[in-house]
Amino acid sequence: AVFLLQLQPGNLVASVLRVEALLRSGQHDEAVSRCNALLNAHPQHSLGLLLTRALAWVLSHGHSGNGVVDYMQAFAKRQEETVAFVKSQQKAEVPRIVGAFNRYL
């Protein structure tokens, strides 16, 4: 990802990989910021970016309500794709996502 970003700073794939690395390293606020920038630059890829930002919000603990809002927004737009993305890309974090919903509701 770093190599691709050096060659082509706006590369979406490399940027998403960088956001995922930030999530794994616990840099949730930075991941949210990067997702915001990517959502502005690449609105046609909004579902995956919105769900990635939602997870970053949930993992940040203090802002997990924002993540719940992002998940609900994605689900309202594209239900099947949202569920498929979470089950395939965020499966390990489903208990935390459910916990954030329980706290929010």
Side-chain angles (χ1 to χ4, degrees), residues 6-7 12 14 16 19 26 28-30 32 35 42 49 53 56 59-60 74 82-83 86-88 97 104:
Q6 293 298 316
L7 291 175
L12 179 62
V16 170
V19 169
H28 307 124
D29 292 335
E30 179 64 22
V32 168
C35 283
H42 303 280
L49 293 170
R53 182 178 72 182
L59 296 176
S60 74
T82 298
V83 172
V86 171
K87 284 184 172 181
S88 67
I97 295 167
Y104 185 78

Side-chain angles (χ1 to χ4, degrees), residues 43-60:
Q44 69 276 19
H45 299 285
S46 63
L47 184 67
L49 293 170
L50 183 63
L51 292 169
T52 301
R53 182 178 72 182
L55 180 60
W57 282 124
V58 166
L59 296 176
S60 74

Side-chain angles (χ1 to χ4, degrees), residues 53-100:
R53 182 178 72 182
L55 180 60
W57 282 124
V58 166
L59 296 176
S60 74
H61 300 294
H63 303 286
S64 63
N66 293 341
V68 171
V69 170
D70 278 353
Y71 279 114
M72 292 189 313
Q73 190 176 49
F75 187 76
K77 289 180 183 177
R78 295 165 39 197
Q79 293 179 10
E80 290 179 19
E81 292 173 73
T82 298
V83 172
F85 185 95
V86 171
K87 284 184 172 181
S88 67
Q89 303 294 317
Q90 300 178 348
K91 186 176 184 173
E93 302 300 341
V94 168
R96 289 184 184 189
I97 295 167
V98 171

Side-chain angles (χ1 to χ4, degrees), residues 18-19 21-32 56:
R18 177 69 179 133
V19 169
L22 290 168
L23 286 175
R24 285 191 304 276
S25 68
Q27 298 178 55
H28 307 124
D29 292 335
E30 179 64 22
V32 168

